[in-house]
Amino acid sequence: MRRLTIATLTVLAAVLVLPAHAQDANDALEKRLKTAFRKTDEVERLDAVKAAAGLKDPGIIQFVAKGLRDRSISVRTAAIKALGGTDHPDALKALHKLYFRDMPLRDDEELLALLLKEIGRHGDPSSLKVFADKPFKGLTQETGRARIYGVTNIRDQRSVELLFKALQIAGGNPRRGGSRLVDSSYKGKFYPDIRVGIAVLTGRDPGRDRLEASQWWVNEVKKKVKVEKDRPDVPEPLSAKWEAFWEEPYYVGRPAPKRQALGSPYVIVENPDAATVKAAVKGLTEAHKSKDVDERAVAIEEFGGVSSPAVTRLLGKALRDREKRIRLEAIDALGWSHDKSALKQLHRLYRRNKKLRDDETEFTHLLKAIGRHRDKSSVDVLIDSPFKGLTIATGQARIFGIGNIRTKEAIATLIQAMSLGGGNPRGNSRGAGEQRFMVDARIALLVLTGIDNGTDKDAWTQWWRKAKKKYKISPDRPKLPKPDQVIWENFWNEPY
């Protein structure tokens, strides 16, 4: 008597649980696929493969897998997508088989990136052997991102380890497939996506700095990390990047965490009457005399949004308060103020208090408050001595502040700043941090121009060299990709 194989039993089980009409439809589709692959008609093969997408019938999957080696690129692409969207172990095995056996596929960046993405879509730990396989050989931006997000979609402890291993490897030219693996420019380009992966897997955002993230892993996280079954809540800029890659919601089966309302924390009174100004001046004056820090802070919170020169002068006094909390509150209030003299107070503070550069928090708040006014007079301030007191936060505040000022001078300033190098926060070498700030510069220039030249400073420089004489900046901001819009809105806490 012939023994039934596991594969045969699987097919029989699938047939038994299907309703009769569904099985008839599957049989008809299997026949259609069989016929289509016997013909030379590309359209017929393509349509048949697309019709089979997502169907968990082993017989159908077997025929769709034939499309993976079809002579037509369109059919091959459709077959990869169809099997990527089919939640069945046979579909994933077919994709794995294609990856390991079709070596010429490595020369087709677009097709290889798609294959890696669809393998990753399954979220199966068995695919880690694919993503760990010579990841830097023939590396490109698209294949690198596909490997990173593929690993990110596999909720396994080994996934986190693989991401950090990729983060720490250095050297070599990716286009040559050398043993030293990747050059510094690629490390910088991939870190924003690796950051997403680490946060999605662990629930902890490692931050914007690649070197600090590596230290964080070695010193704090490596022995403690635990990958939970369900995806955790992550900051919106990170979930937006995840959604942009996978083109599906990050939060499945549950609502996304409620986003904090955007807008000023102060009640803005743009054209206050005399009584309102009088009450604000009285409240701020009395609080300024108080020894109670909370009382002084509450007064600024309550009256800081009253747009009046008299209120601005009192906020200016608070900039010299002995308590840092009050100084920060005054800086923020002046940043949100609609009074024209508020920006002058901020500029004056920048120029007179050189010691502020030694306090990252206070200096960042000041730069951000200046940039919030969107005034062309601030360009010179925001680009002044950019490497003094440079940190990730202050660098981003300068760049986004300039990006908030819609003038040609702002564009020219950002382009010129690129040629100076990105700077190494808290250090002397300017080269090490360059890519970190190019990510911010790209978004700022995208906001100003609507053009996206990525993080390639040479591409931006060449574009500006050709465009600057005739370029006219639009008074209206261009539409941004969702991930970039979220980053911009979260930084300014204002709707784009």
Side-chain angles (χ1 to χ4, degrees):
M1 183 177 177
R2 184 183 176 187
R3 295 181 63 186
L4 294 176
T5 65
I6 293 176
T8 305
L9 289 170
T10 303
V11 173
L12 286 173
V15 171
L16 289 173
V17 299
L18 282 173
H21 66 278
Q23 186 58 50
D24 290 343
N26 283 1
D27 290 343
L29 181 55
E30 188 173 334
K31 184 177 180 181
R32 178 184 174 186
L33 283 161
K34 187 176 182 180
T35 302
F37 279 109
R38 287 176 177 171
K39 296 184 177 181
T40 59
D41 190 328
E42 178 185 9
V43 175
E44 193 170 335
R45 298 197 307 278
L46 178 62
D47 289 345
V49 168
K50 286 183 175 180
L55 292 177
K56 303 177 184 180
D57 184 299
I60 289 176
I61 291 171
Q62 184 180 358
F63 275 105
V64 172
K66 288 188 175 183
L68 296 175
R69 294 183 177 274
D70 198 272
R71 58 188 175 276
S72 164
I73 291 295
S74 297
V75 174
R76 295 187 76 187
T77 299
I80 292 172
K81 289 182 177 179
L83 294 174
T86 301
D87 186 14
H88 192 281
D90 288 357
L92 182 58
K93 286 177 184 176
L95 294 174
H96 283 180
K97 185 177 179 181
L98 177 66
Y99 175 84
F100 285 113
R101 294 191 180 182
D102 191 348
M103 292 299 115
L105 186 111
R106 303 289 199 284
D107 298 326
D108 188 328
E109 176 191 11
E110 187 174 347
L111 211 58
L112 178 58
L114 176 64
L115 175 60
L116 291 167
K117 181 175 182 176
E118 296 307 319
I119 288 173
R121 195 180 297 280
H122 281 263
D124 194 287
S126 67
S127 298
L128 288 173
K129 62 187 178 185
V130 171
F131 297 120
D133 175 60
K134 301 175 182 176
F136 303 109
K137 188 174 183 180
L139 177 68
T140 68
Q141 188 76 26
E142 292 308 310
T143 60
R145 293 187 74 240
R147 286 184 188 273
I148 291 166
Y149 280 98
V151 171
T152 297
N153 206 34
I154 299 172
R155 304 203 62 74
D156 189 285
Q157 166 72 18
R158 292 169 295 172
S159 298
V160 189
E161 294 171 356
L162 196 56
L163 287 179
F164 274 103
K165 184 178 180 181
L167 182 62
Q168 292 161 351
I169 293 175
N173 187 332
R175 291 291 186 178
R176 296 175 185 170
S179 60
R180 289 186 296 168
L181 306 181
V182 288
D183 63 18
S184 59
S185 64
Y186 269 89
K187 286 188 293 183
K189 288 180 180 177
F190 290 129
Y191 179 65
D193 298 309
I194 292 176
R195 176 188 176 189
V196 173
I198 293 168
V200 167
L201 287 168
T202 69
R204 296 180 64 182
D205 179 4
R208 299 175 63 246
D209 186 283
R210 178 178 59 81
L211 299 177
E212 289 180 5
S214 294
Q215 293 171 357
W216 172 74
W217 167 252
V218 172
N219 298 333
E220 299 180 37
V221 182
K222 193 171 185 179
K223 295 180 181 179
K224 302 177 183 178
V225 68
K226 184 178 179 181
V227 179
E228 302 291 348
K229 180 181 178 182
D230 299 320
R231 288 197 291 265
D233 293 354
V234 296
E236 189 173 4
L238 305 188
S239 63
K241 286 180 73 69
W242 191 96
E243 290 177 341
F245 181 84
W246 291 112
E247 299 178 288
E248 60 183 56
Y250 177 83
Y251 298 98
V252 179
R254 61 189 172 107
K258 189 174 181 181
R259 189 178 182 186
Q260 184 178 359
L262 299 175
S264 171
Y266 308 94
V267 178
I268 301 297
V269 185
E270 197 162 351
N271 296 298
D273 55 28
T276 301
V277 173
K278 184 177 180 180
V281 168
K282 181 180 179 182
L284 287 167
T285 301
E286 291 177 354
H288 184 67
K289 298 175 182 177
S290 173
K291 294 181 180 181
D292 190 320
V293 178
D294 288 338
E295 186 177 341
R296 300 202 299 277
V298 168
I300 295 175
E301 291 171 3
E302 184 176 356
F303 302 114
V306 178
S307 301
S308 162
V311 171
T312 297
R313 283 192 294 272
L314 290 170
L315 291 174
K317 286 186 178 181
L319 293 175
R320 300 186 294 275
D321 196 279
R322 59 187 176 276
E323 292 290 338
K324 180 176 177 178
R325 174 187 170 190
I326 303 303
R327 297 196 300 271
L328 289 174
E329 194 75 58
I331 289 171
D332 291 345
L334 288 168
W336 285 100
S337 176
H338 289 201
D339 178 47
K340 293 181 179 179
S341 61
L343 181 59
K344 292 180 180 178
Q345 289 280 359
L346 295 170
H347 282 182
R348 186 180 296 117
L349 176 63
Y350 179 91
R351 293 190 176 102
R352 290 183 178 179
N353 192 344
K354 302 298 182 182
K355 292 182 179 180
L356 269 182
R357 288 165 175 75
D358 298 327
D359 188 313
E360 182 182 15
T361 301
E362 205 164 341
F363 194 44
T364 302
H365 275 250
L366 175 59
L367 293 168
K368 192 170 183 178
I370 290 171
R372 193 181 296 284
H373 280 269
R374 307 184 190 181
D375 193 278
K376 62 182 181 181
S377 66
S378 297
V379 173
D380 289 340
V381 174
L382 293 170
I383 199 59
D384 172 63
S385 304
F387 299 110
K388 287 186 178 179
L390 178 63
T391 67
I392 295 172
T394 61
Q396 184 184 42
R398 286 183 186 274
I399 292 168
F400 277 16
I402 296 170
N404 212 23
I405 301 168
R406 302 198 65 75
T407 65
K408 281 183 68 174
E409 183 188 2
I411 300 173
T413 299
L414 287 174
I415 300 290
Q416 183 181 10
M418 290 178 185
S419 65
L420 298 176
N424 182 12
R426 300 301 192 194
N428 297 320
S429 171
R430 293 183 180 181
E434 180 174 351
Q435 191 61 40
R436 175 187 302 125
F437 295 120
M438 281 302 303
V439 173
D440 296 326
R442 171 195 159 268
I443 296 176
L445 285 167
L446 183 57
V447 168
L448 287 170
T449 68
I451 294 170
D452 191 353
N453 283 321
T455 57
D456 186 336
K457 68 177 181 180
D458 291 334
W460 280 109
T461 302
Q462 291 171 15
W463 167 79
W464 185 241
R465 189 180 296 121
K466 295 176 182 178
K468 62 182 177 181
K469 287 185 179 179
K470 298 181 180 179
Y471 189 81
K472 292 184 179 180
I473 191 166
S474 170
D476 300 318
R477 288 172 170 171
K479 186 176 181 181
L480 291 185
K482 180 64 182 299
D484 298 321
Q485 180 177 330
V486 170
I487 290 171
W488 188 264
E489 289 181 337
N490 281 9
F491 179 84
W492 293 111
N493 198 41
E494 289 183 272
Y496 180 74

Short mmCIF file of all heavy atoms in Angstrom, two decimals, residues 95-106 112 115-116 119 125-140 143-144 146-148 151 154 158 162-163 165-166 169 177-178 181:
data_model
loop_
_atom_site.label_atom_id
_atom_site.label_comp_id
_atom_site.label_asym_id
_atom_site.label_seq_id
_atom_site.Cartn_x
_atom_site.Cartn_y
_atom_site.Cartn_z
N LEU A 95 10.00 31.45 -2.28
CA LEU A 95 10.77 32.70 -2.32
C LEU A 95 12.19 32.48 -1.82
O LEU A 95 13.15 33.02 -2.37
CB LEU A 95 10.05 33.77 -1.49
CG LEU A 95 8.69 34.24 -2.02
CD1 LEU A 95 8.03 35.19 -1.02
CD2 LEU A 95 8.82 34.91 -3.37
N HIS A 96 12.33 31.69 -0.75
CA HIS A 96 13.67 31.35 -0.25
C HIS A 96 14.48 30.64 -1.33
O HIS A 96 15.67 30.93 -1.53
CB HIS A 96 13.55 30.44 0.98
CG HIS A 96 13.17 31.16 2.23
ND1 HIS A 96 13.01 30.51 3.44
CD2 HIS A 96 12.90 32.47 2.48
CE1 HIS A 96 12.67 31.38 4.37
NE2 HIS A 96 12.59 32.58 3.81
N LYS A 97 13.84 29.70 -1.98
CA LYS A 97 14.51 28.92 -3.03
C LYS A 97 15.01 29.83 -4.15
O LYS A 97 16.13 29.68 -4.64
CB LYS A 97 13.55 27.87 -3.57
CG LYS A 97 14.16 26.91 -4.57
CD LYS A 97 13.13 25.86 -4.99
CE LYS A 97 13.73 24.90 -6.02
NZ LYS A 97 12.73 23.88 -6.45
N LEU A 98 14.18 30.79 -4.53
CA LEU A 98 14.57 31.72 -5.59
C LEU A 98 15.80 32.52 -5.15
O LEU A 98 16.74 32.71 -5.92
CB LEU A 98 13.42 32.67 -5.92
CG LEU A 98 13.72 33.75 -6.96
CD1 LEU A 98 13.98 33.12 -8.32
CD2 LEU A 98 12.57 34.76 -7.04
N TYR A 99 15.78 32.99 -3.90
CA TYR A 99 16.88 33.81 -3.40
C TYR A 99 18.21 33.05 -3.44
O TYR A 99 19.23 33.57 -3.89
CB TYR A 99 16.60 34.28 -1.97
CG TYR A 99 17.76 35.03 -1.37
CD1 TYR A 99 17.93 36.39 -1.61
CD2 TYR A 99 18.71 34.37 -0.59
CE1 TYR A 99 19.02 37.08 -1.09
CE2 TYR A 99 19.81 35.05 -0.08
CZ TYR A 99 19.96 36.40 -0.33
OH TYR A 99 21.04 37.07 0.18
N PHE A 100 18.22 31.81 -2.96
CA PHE A 100 19.48 31.08 -2.83
C PHE A 100 19.95 30.43 -4.14
O PHE A 100 21.13 30.13 -4.27
CB PHE A 100 19.34 30.01 -1.74
CG PHE A 100 19.38 30.58 -0.34
CD1 PHE A 100 18.26 30.54 0.47
CD2 PHE A 100 20.53 31.18 0.14
CE1 PHE A 100 18.29 31.07 1.75
CE2 PHE A 100 20.57 31.71 1.43
CZ PHE A 100 19.45 31.66 2.23
N ARG A 101 19.04 30.21 -5.08
CA ARG A 101 19.44 29.49 -6.29
C ARG A 101 19.62 30.38 -7.52
O ARG A 101 20.32 30.01 -8.46
CB ARG A 101 18.42 28.39 -6.60
CG ARG A 101 18.39 27.29 -5.55
CD ARG A 101 17.58 26.11 -6.01
NE ARG A 101 17.54 25.04 -5.01
CZ ARG A 101 16.92 23.87 -5.17
NH1 ARG A 101 16.28 23.63 -6.32
NH2 ARG A 101 16.93 22.96 -4.22
N ASP A 102 18.97 31.53 -7.53
CA ASP A 102 19.05 32.40 -8.71
C ASP A 102 20.11 33.47 -8.48
O ASP A 102 19.81 34.60 -8.12
CB ASP A 102 17.68 33.03 -8.99
CG ASP A 102 17.64 33.73 -10.34
OD1 ASP A 102 18.71 33.92 -10.94
OD2 ASP A 102 16.54 34.09 -10.79
N MET A 103 21.37 33.14 -8.72
CA MET A 103 22.46 34.07 -8.49
C MET A 103 22.42 35.30 -9.42
O MET A 103 22.74 36.41 -8.99
CB MET A 103 23.82 33.36 -8.65
CG MET A 103 24.10 32.33 -7.56
SD MET A 103 24.16 33.07 -5.90
CE MET A 103 22.73 32.28 -5.13
N PRO A 104 22.03 35.16 -10.70
CA PRO A 104 21.95 36.35 -11.57
C PRO A 104 20.97 37.41 -11.06
O PRO A 104 21.08 38.58 -11.42
CB PRO A 104 21.48 35.77 -12.91
CG PRO A 104 21.95 34.35 -12.89
CD PRO A 104 21.80 33.92 -11.46
N LEU A 105 20.03 36.98 -10.20
CA LEU A 105 19.07 37.94 -9.65
C LEU A 105 19.77 39.03 -8.85
O LEU A 105 19.25 40.13 -8.69
CB LEU A 105 18.07 37.19 -8.76
CG LEU A 105 16.90 38.00 -8.22
CD1 LEU A 105 15.61 37.52 -8.88
CD2 LEU A 105 16.77 37.86 -6.72
N ARG A 106 20.98 38.73 -8.33
CA ARG A 106 21.72 39.71 -7.54
C ARG A 106 22.08 40.95 -8.36
O ARG A 106 22.36 42.01 -7.82
CB ARG A 106 23.02 39.11 -7.00
CG ARG A 106 22.86 37.85 -6.15
CD ARG A 106 22.23 38.16 -4.80
NE ARG A 106 22.45 37.12 -3.82
CZ ARG A 106 21.81 35.96 -3.79
NH1 ARG A 106 20.92 35.69 -4.71
NH2 ARG A 106 22.05 35.07 -2.83
N LEU A 112 15.68 42.21 -6.82
CA LEU A 112 16.22 41.67 -5.56
C LEU A 112 15.61 42.39 -4.36
O LEU A 112 15.25 41.74 -3.37
CB LEU A 112 17.74 41.81 -5.54
CG LEU A 112 18.44 41.33 -4.26
CD1 LEU A 112 18.14 39.87 -3.99
CD2 LEU A 112 19.94 41.58 -4.34
N LEU A 115 12.15 41.04 -3.91
CA LEU A 115 12.17 39.69 -3.34
C LEU A 115 12.43 39.74 -1.84
O LEU A 115 11.75 39.07 -1.05
CB LEU A 115 13.24 38.86 -4.05
CG LEU A 115 13.48 37.45 -3.48
CD1 LEU A 115 12.21 36.61 -3.56
CD2 LEU A 115 14.63 36.77 -4.22
N LEU A 116 13.42 40.53 -1.42
CA LEU A 116 13.72 40.65 0.01
C LEU A 116 12.53 41.22 0.78
O LEU A 116 12.21 40.76 1.88
CB LEU A 116 14.94 41.56 0.19
CG LEU A 116 16.28 40.98 -0.29
CD1 LEU A 116 17.33 42.09 -0.36
CD2 LEU A 116 16.74 39.86 0.62
N ILE A 119 9.81 38.49 1.05
CA ILE A 119 10.22 37.49 2.03
C ILE A 119 9.98 38.03 3.45
O ILE A 119 9.44 37.36 4.31
CB ILE A 119 11.70 37.10 1.84
CG1 ILE A 119 11.87 36.25 0.56
CG2 ILE A 119 12.23 36.32 3.05
CD1 ILE A 119 13.30 35.96 0.20
N PRO A 125 10.74 33.68 11.23
CA PRO A 125 12.14 33.58 11.69
C PRO A 125 13.05 32.79 10.75
O PRO A 125 14.26 33.02 10.73
CB PRO A 125 12.01 32.88 13.05
CG PRO A 125 10.64 33.23 13.53
CD PRO A 125 9.79 33.26 12.29
N SER A 126 12.48 31.87 9.97
CA SER A 126 13.31 31.09 9.05
C SER A 126 13.96 31.99 7.98
O SER A 126 14.93 31.59 7.34
CB SER A 126 12.48 30.00 8.37
OG SER A 126 11.50 30.57 7.50
N SER A 127 13.42 33.19 7.79
CA SER A 127 13.95 34.10 6.77
C SER A 127 15.19 34.87 7.24
O SER A 127 15.84 35.53 6.43
CB SER A 127 12.87 35.12 6.35
OG SER A 127 11.76 34.46 5.78
N LEU A 128 15.53 34.75 8.51
CA LEU A 128 16.71 35.46 9.00
C LEU A 128 17.98 34.98 8.29
O LEU A 128 18.93 35.75 8.10
CB LEU A 128 16.85 35.29 10.52
CG LEU A 128 15.83 36.05 11.36
CD1 LEU A 128 15.93 35.67 12.82
CD2 LEU A 128 16.00 37.56 11.17
N LYS A 129 17.98 33.71 7.86
CA LYS A 129 19.14 33.19 7.13
C LYS A 129 19.29 33.91 5.79
O LYS A 129 20.41 34.05 5.27
CB LYS A 129 18.99 31.69 6.90
CG LYS A 129 17.78 31.31 6.04
CD LYS A 129 17.57 29.81 5.97
CE LYS A 129 16.33 29.47 5.15
NZ LYS A 129 16.03 28.02 5.17
N VAL A 130 18.17 34.40 5.23
CA VAL A 130 18.22 35.17 3.98
C VAL A 130 18.81 36.55 4.24
O VAL A 130 19.74 36.99 3.55
CB VAL A 130 16.82 35.30 3.36
CG1 VAL A 130 16.83 36.29 2.19
CG2 VAL A 130 16.30 33.95 2.90
N PHE A 131 18.30 37.23 5.25
CA PHE A 131 18.72 38.60 5.51
C PHE A 131 20.15 38.69 6.03
O PHE A 131 20.80 39.73 5.90
CB PHE A 131 17.75 39.27 6.46
CG PHE A 131 16.36 39.37 5.90
CD1 PHE A 131 15.28 38.76 6.53
CD2 PHE A 131 16.13 40.04 4.71
CE1 PHE A 131 14.00 38.84 5.99
CE2 PHE A 131 14.86 40.12 4.17
CZ PHE A 131 13.80 39.51 4.81
N ALA A 132 20.64 37.60 6.63
CA ALA A 132 22.01 37.58 7.13
C ALA A 132 23.01 37.12 6.07
O ALA A 132 24.21 37.17 6.29
CB ALA A 132 22.10 36.66 8.34
N ASP A 133 22.51 36.70 4.92
CA ASP A 133 23.37 36.14 3.88
C ASP A 133 24.07 37.24 3.08
O ASP A 133 23.45 37.92 2.27
CB ASP A 133 22.52 35.28 2.93
CG ASP A 133 23.33 34.76 1.75
OD1 ASP A 133 24.31 34.04 1.98
OD2 ASP A 133 22.99 35.11 0.59
N LYS A 134 25.37 37.41 3.34
CA LYS A 134 26.20 38.37 2.60
C LYS A 134 25.44 39.69 2.34
O LYS A 134 25.28 40.10 1.20
CB LYS A 134 26.65 37.77 1.28
CG LYS A 134 27.46 36.51 1.46
CD LYS A 134 27.80 35.87 0.11
CE LYS A 134 28.56 34.56 0.32
NZ LYS A 134 28.83 33.86 -0.95
N PRO A 135 24.95 40.33 3.40
CA PRO A 135 24.08 41.50 3.21
C PRO A 135 24.74 42.69 2.54
O PRO A 135 24.05 43.56 2.01
CB PRO A 135 23.65 41.84 4.64
CG PRO A 135 24.75 41.29 5.50
CD PRO A 135 25.20 40.05 4.81
N PHE A 136 26.08 42.76 2.56
CA PHE A 136 26.75 43.93 2.00
C PHE A 136 27.35 43.67 0.63
O PHE A 136 28.00 44.53 0.06
CB PHE A 136 27.82 44.42 2.98
CG PHE A 136 27.27 44.74 4.33
CD1 PHE A 136 27.55 43.94 5.41
CD2 PHE A 136 26.43 45.84 4.50
CE1 PHE A 136 27.00 44.24 6.66
CE2 PHE A 136 25.89 46.13 5.73
CZ PHE A 136 26.17 45.33 6.83
N LYS A 137 27.14 42.47 0.10
CA LYS A 137 27.62 42.16 -1.24
C LYS A 137 26.64 42.72 -2.26
O LYS A 137 25.47 42.36 -2.28
CB LYS A 137 27.78 40.65 -1.43
CG LYS A 137 28.47 40.29 -2.74
CD LYS A 137 28.73 38.80 -2.82
CE LYS A 137 29.48 38.48 -4.12
NZ LYS A 137 29.76 37.03 -4.23
N GLY A 138 27.13 43.62 -3.13
CA GLY A 138 26.24 44.25 -4.09
C GLY A 138 25.23 45.17 -3.43
O GLY A 138 24.14 45.40 -3.96
N LEU A 139 25.61 45.73 -2.28
CA LEU A 139 24.68 46.56 -1.51
C LEU A 139 24.27 47.82 -2.27
O LEU A 139 25.09 48.50 -2.87
CB LEU A 139 25.35 46.96 -0.20
CG LEU A 139 24.55 47.89 0.72
CD1 LEU A 139 23.33 47.17 1.28
CD2 LEU A 139 25.43 48.39 1.85
N THR A 140 22.99 48.12 -2.24
CA THR A 140 22.46 49.39 -2.74
C THR A 140 21.50 49.94 -1.69
O THR A 140 21.15 49.24 -0.72
CB THR A 140 21.70 49.22 -4.07
OG1 THR A 140 20.49 48.48 -3.82
CG2 THR A 140 22.54 48.49 -5.11
N THR A 143 18.19 47.63 -1.69
CA THR A 143 18.34 46.28 -1.14
C THR A 143 18.67 46.35 0.35
O THR A 143 18.22 45.51 1.14
CB THR A 143 19.42 45.48 -1.89
OG1 THR A 143 20.68 46.16 -1.77
CG2 THR A 143 19.07 45.34 -3.36
N GLY A 144 19.46 47.36 0.74
CA GLY A 144 19.78 47.53 2.15
C GLY A 144 18.54 47.80 2.99
O GLY A 144 18.34 47.19 4.05
N ALA A 146 15.47 47.03 2.21
CA ALA A 146 14.61 45.86 2.18
C ALA A 146 15.06 44.82 3.21
O ALA A 146 14.23 44.19 3.88
CB ALA A 146 14.59 45.25 0.78
N ARG A 147 16.38 44.65 3.34
CA ARG A 147 16.89 43.72 4.35
C ARG A 147 16.55 44.22 5.76
O ARG A 147 16.12 43.45 6.62
CB ARG A 147 18.40 43.56 4.21
CG ARG A 147 18.83 42.71 3.01
CD ARG A 147 20.35 42.51 2.99
NE ARG A 147 20.78 41.87 1.77
CZ ARG A 147 20.82 40.54 1.58
NH1 ARG A 147 20.46 39.74 2.57
NH2 ARG A 147 21.25 40.03 0.44
N ILE A 148 16.76 45.51 5.99
CA ILE A 148 16.51 46.07 7.32
C ILE A 148 15.04 45.92 7.72
O ILE A 148 14.73 45.45 8.81
CB ILE A 148 16.93 47.55 7.35
CG1 ILE A 148 18.45 47.67 7.26
CG2 ILE A 148 16.42 48.24 8.62
CD1 ILE A 148 18.95 49.07 6.96
N VAL A 151 14.04 42.26 8.35
CA VAL A 151 14.43 41.84 9.70
C VAL A 151 13.50 42.45 10.75
O VAL A 151 13.09 41.79 11.71
CB VAL A 151 15.90 42.25 9.98
CG1 VAL A 151 16.26 42.01 11.44
CG2 VAL A 151 16.84 41.47 9.07
N ILE A 154 10.34 40.61 11.65
CA ILE A 154 10.46 39.29 12.26
C ILE A 154 10.68 39.47 13.76
O ILE A 154 11.75 39.91 14.20
CB ILE A 154 11.63 38.50 11.64
CG1 ILE A 154 11.39 38.31 10.14
CG2 ILE A 154 11.81 37.15 12.33
CD1 ILE A 154 12.57 37.72 9.39
N ARG A 158 16.89 37.34 17.71
CA ARG A 158 17.99 37.36 16.75
C ARG A 158 17.87 38.52 15.76
O ARG A 158 18.88 38.96 15.19
CB ARG A 158 18.03 36.02 15.99
CG ARG A 158 18.43 34.83 16.86
CD ARG A 158 18.18 33.53 16.12
NE ARG A 158 16.77 33.32 15.87
CZ ARG A 158 16.28 32.33 15.11
NH1 ARG A 158 17.11 31.49 14.51
NH2 ARG A 158 14.98 32.21 14.93
N LEU A 162 20.85 41.08 14.80
CA LEU A 162 21.25 41.24 13.41
C LEU A 162 21.30 42.72 13.02
O LEU A 162 22.21 43.17 12.31
CB LEU A 162 20.28 40.49 12.50
CG LEU A 162 20.73 40.22 11.06
CD1 LEU A 162 22.04 39.45 11.04
CD2 LEU A 162 19.66 39.44 10.31
N LEU A 163 20.35 43.51 13.50
CA LEU A 163 20.34 44.93 13.20
C LEU A 163 21.55 45.64 13.81
O LEU A 163 22.18 46.48 13.17
CB LEU A 163 19.04 45.58 13.71
CG LEU A 163 17.77 45.27 12.93
CD1 LEU A 163 16.57 45.96 13.59
CD2 LEU A 163 17.89 45.72 11.48
N LYS A 165 24.36 44.24 14.60
CA LYS A 165 25.56 43.77 13.91
C LYS A 165 25.78 44.58 12.64
O LYS A 165 26.89 45.00 12.32
CB LYS A 165 25.41 42.28 13.57
CG LYS A 165 26.64 41.68 12.92
CD LYS A 165 26.45 40.20 12.64
CE LYS A 165 27.69 39.60 11.98
NZ LYS A 165 27.52 38.16 11.68
N ALA A 166 24.68 44.83 11.90
CA ALA A 166 24.77 45.65 10.69
C ALA A 166 25.20 47.06 11.03
O ALA A 166 25.95 47.71 10.28
CB ALA A 166 23.41 45.67 9.98
N ILE A 169 29.23 47.14 11.78
CA ILE A 169 30.22 46.75 10.78
C ILE A 169 30.63 47.96 9.96
O ILE A 169 29.82 48.80 9.61
CB ILE A 169 29.66 45.65 9.87
CG1 ILE A 169 29.47 44.37 10.67
CG2 ILE A 169 30.57 45.38 8.69
CD1 ILE A 169 28.81 43.26 9.93
N GLY A 177 31.79 44.55 -3.29
CA GLY A 177 31.59 43.29 -2.59
C GLY A 177 32.80 42.84 -1.79
O GLY A 177 33.02 41.65 -1.59
N GLY A 178 33.60 43.78 -1.34
CA GLY A 178 34.82 43.46 -0.62
C GLY A 178 34.56 42.96 0.79
O GLY A 178 33.46 43.06 1.31
N LEU A 181 33.22 45.29 3.66
CA LEU A 181 31.78 45.51 3.69
C LEU A 181 31.31 46.89 3.30
O LEU A 181 31.18 47.15 2.13
CB LEU A 181 31.23 45.10 5.07
CG LEU A 181 31.61 43.66 5.46
CD1 LEU A 181 31.02 43.32 6.82
CD2 LEU A 181 31.16 42.67 4.43
#
